[in-house]
Amino acid sequence: MFKFLKEVVGGSGTGIKDLPYNIGEPYPSAWGSWLHHRGTSKDDGSPVSIFSLSGSNAQDGHLAAGRNGVKRLRTVRHPNILSFLHSTEVETFDGGSSKVTIYIVTEPVMPLSDKIKELGLDGTQRDEYYAWGLHQIAKAVSFLNNDCKLVHGNVCLASVVVTQTLDWKLHAFDVLSEFDGSNETSSTQMLQYAWLVATQYKSMELAKSDWAAIKKSPPWAIDSWGMGCLIYELFSGLKLSKTEELRNTASIPKSLLPDYQRLLSSTPSRRLNTSKLIENSEYFQNKLVDTIHFMEILSLKDSVEKDTFFRKLPNLAEQLPREIVLKKLLPLLASALEFGSAAAPALTALLKMGSWLSAEEFRAKVLPTIIKLFASNDRAVRVSLLQHIDQFGESLSAQAVDEQVYPHVATGFSDTSAFLRELTLKSMLILAPKLSQRTLSGSLLKHLSKLQVDEEPAIRTNTTILLGNIASYLNEGTRKRVLINAFTVRALRDTFPPARGAGIMALCATSSNYDITEIATRILPNVVVLTIDPDSDVRSKAFQAVDQFLQMAKQHYEKTNIAETTGGAGMEGSSIPGNASLLGWAMSSLTLKGKPSDHAPVPSVSSSTLTPTSSNASSVVDTPSTAPIRVNSTPDFTEHHAPTSPTSTDGWGDLENGIDEEPENDKDGWDDLEPLEETKPTPALTNIQAAQRRPVSQPASHVKAPILRPKSTPKLSKDEDDDLWGALAAPAPKPPSKPLNLKSTATDDDDPWAAIAAPAPTTRAKPLSAGRGRGAKPAAPKLGAQRISRTSSGT
């Protein structure tokens, strides 16, 4: 036959050349004299099924019945009846004889007998699938008999086909005819093509051609008998060869047996209507039928029913036949989510079902729906997507992330819900590697800059951790401009101890990005101060970082001595490369409460809403999925932080530190800390100046009388100032009633402190802060004088 079809395509017949479908290999079985072929569309290659019927001449009885089937299939539409796409009739000539062939093109289907062998189901799963299939065919037959007053005439296993989503559909409409019960006394034939029906499938009245009895019977009598034949063939696994075999009920399920016997009643009027079979049969009440039925009428359910159903669906899906879940339930669920009829919990079930697919099938069947869901305005859907992004994020293409996903996700950075902000932040660990450099530096870093001064300490901490993890995806220029500023000026001076610890760990994890000059002048001076931090975990991390960076400096020294470098001062060697796996999320939940002592050393910080952390902040595993959404978060600071500079490209370039520094101190902003108006100082003086610019948080036991400025930023008392510089200057200062001895060990010419030391104070020093001009900045940083003037009022 396939050879014949190829000859038809290349022969003289008219019509087949214009058929917009390619005819493929036939299936081994089909109804009646038809052949069932696989096929594809010539336009887009989509699969179809092509049925063909050939006859010797145009008046052939089989062809006449075939034309009736084409007409009926084209006009009768129902979800459980085979969908018609196209038909044509072709006449060909071969050696003086002609052949007429009818072609019907339908949706892609497979004969039920072949599909059953392919699925190989058994036990409960087989019974559930058979129940679902029989339920569909019963609805199709009921539609024909009760709604359309039509008689199919030959319902059997061969007249049922299965779609790609494993739905059963009724076809073979060649015998289909109207039920003519108006003239019960007439003996004229009602089914014109009843001769096509095999004897074993005919009911007793049809086998006797008792048309008077048939017309007195209800419209469903003949097709109810056919349903009984279908049930027998389905459960016995054998093709019906004679009518007597229907009495063998050993293979029929007990819950279906009473209905089976009523379908095959010898009295036509007592046969069970298929509509009653659907409504009353106990056999159709199982998990698979109920689940699919609920999904098909989902739009009619209320929100409570939907929420309850979708929360149970992930566990229920594991109990159902896997093939049916993937080919039937999964498309229904994806469609419901895409068009908004499904609730947010349905996403969990979708991803669980999707995990059973291959990578290619997941990208084709699940990802398109997920990408569309990112555009949803439903906050619950956005939260669910972000909570499960680790399950599908790796499958997203870089183009889809950059163009379709990230623009919608980025709105969460400024959401009023702290929980949603944190989920958005954590999702960047998966999405950032797929973002373009333009998006990374032009958008993402701006958002991270704002989150580093967020009111929630958990978010500030995790922002630092995220920045350390994605540092390797930034270009070199951006890393040079952003990393040190973000980790030292902000993270190391945060009032929340885990945030300071995260800054230290981020510096260590990204150490390969810093040259020796940055390490010596910008990193070590800021880290060393934290070795006396009030928090023991921060102190421990600070000592580890100091050891690491000093080891790098020592290696540089050794390399310089043996002249192995070529003039560059960048460090490699013992640094820890920036790797996303090095830093874990520090915080677990935004709704848990912390202790006020967690926020030392700033006494003005409100700590009632801070998240508790363990002693090792970088190792605490977060569980965002268990934390409820909290829309209004209590701020950590009594005043807002300084806004980002409008000229900054990413939020860090020109931004001044708004946490621990005075607004007028522009040297501690995000620009490089080296002074521009002075000649380059010696390395020793550079270290002194860098340390002197930042305030040092002393342990509570060392602080005698802290003085708070009108602004919320903490300042050092005189005793703190003396302690800071006393460790560096020689000799230690004497009591305030005596002048400082500045020449105890060196002359003015040799002492590096002479140029910056303050004049000796008198016994009764007048506070200099009263006459200090805060409106103008000094031309040169007179560091020693500034410190003494600022704290002398404490005496």
Side-chain angles (χ1 to χ4, degrees), residues 4 37 54 75 128 305 402 409 470 512 522 546 561 612 709 758 761 769:
F4 161 73
H37 299 266
S54 298
T75 55
E128 288 182 343
E305 290 177 306
D402 202 50
V409 174
I470 68 171
S512 61
R522 303 184 65 185
V546 169
N561 284 351
R709 296 289 180 184
S769 59

Side-chain angles (χ1 to χ4, degrees), residues 14 37 61 204 248 402 465 482 584 597 603 617 643 667 714 718 753 757:
T14 59
H37 299 266
M204 287 183 288
N248 184 5
D402 202 50
I465 292 172
V482 169
S597 60
K667 293 299 182 181
K718 178 181 178 180
W753 292 96

Side-chain angles (χ1 to χ4, degrees), residues 442-699:
S443 175
L444 178 58
L445 290 183
K446 288 182 180 180
H447 291 300
L448 296 186
S449 174
K450 294 178 181 178
L451 290 184
Q452 254 202 329
V453 292
D454 193 89
E455 62 184 10
E456 289 289 347
I459 294 178
R460 299 199 303 272
T461 304
N462 284 330
T463 301
T464 300
I465 292 172
L466 173 68
L467 196 55
N469 284 330
I470 68 171
S472 59
Y473 306 117
L474 304 175
N475 59 45
E476 184 178 357
T478 303
R479 289 197 297 265
K480 291 288 185 183
R481 184 178 70 251
V482 169
L483 295 185
I484 294 183
N485 290 334
F487 297 151
T488 60
V489 180
R490 278 189 175 165
L492 297 189
R493 304 181 187 186
D494 199 291
T495 58
F496 192 48
R500 298 197 294 275
I504 297 172
M505 297 300 292
L507 282 171
C508 294
T510 58
S511 58
S512 61
N513 298 299
Y514 314 126
D515 58 40
I516 191 62
T517 302
E518 292 172 326
I519 291 172
T521 61
R522 303 184 65 185
I523 295 177
L524 278 173
N526 285 283
V527 175
V528 167
V529 179
L530 296 181
T531 58
I532 57 172
D533 192 272
D535 186 82
S536 61
D537 185 56
V538 175
R539 292 196 300 271
S540 175
K541 288 182 171 62
F543 277 111
Q544 294 175 11
V546 169
D547 290 341
Q548 177 180 329
F549 287 112
L550 284 178
Q551 181 65 25
M552 295 171 65
K554 183 178 179 181
Q555 289 182 359
H556 173 77
Y557 167 76
E558 292 173 352
K559 288 184 179 181
T560 304
N561 284 351
I562 59 177
E564 289 184 354
T565 59
T566 58
M571 273 306 304
E572 299 175 274
S574 63
S575 63
I576 301 176
N579 192 320
S581 64
L582 292 175
L583 298 176
W585 298 120
M587 313 310 298
S588 61
S589 171
L590 288 172
T591 59
L592 300 178
K593 306 297 182 181
K595 299 179 181 179
S597 60
D598 290 340
H599 303 277
V602 180
S604 62
V605 176
S606 173
S607 60
S608 61
T609 61
L610 297 183
T611 305
T613 59
S614 66
S615 59
N616 188 357
S618 64
S619 64
V620 178
V621 180
D622 65 291
T623 56
S625 62
T626 62
I629 299 175
R630 191 154 60 95
V631 177
N632 296 319
S633 302
T634 304
D636 299 306
F637 301 105
T638 54
E639 295 196 25
H640 295 289
H641 302 286
T644 56
S645 169
T647 60
S648 173
T649 58
D650 51 26
W652 276 290
D654 300 322
L655 187 65
E656 292 187 349
N657 178 29
I659 300 177
D660 291 316
E661 291 299 312
E662 293 185 357
E664 66 269 16
N665 186 2
D666 59 349
K667 293 299 182 181
D668 281 348
W670 294 104
D671 293 322
D672 292 337
L673 300 179
E674 300 177 13
L676 302 177
E677 64 273 26
E678 296 180 351
T679 58
K680 186 174 182 180
T682 63
L685 185 56
T686 301
N687 287 342
I688 296 170
Q689 292 173 338
Q692 196 173 17
R693 287 190 193 97
R694 55 171 289 120
V696 179
S697 300
Q698 295 294 337

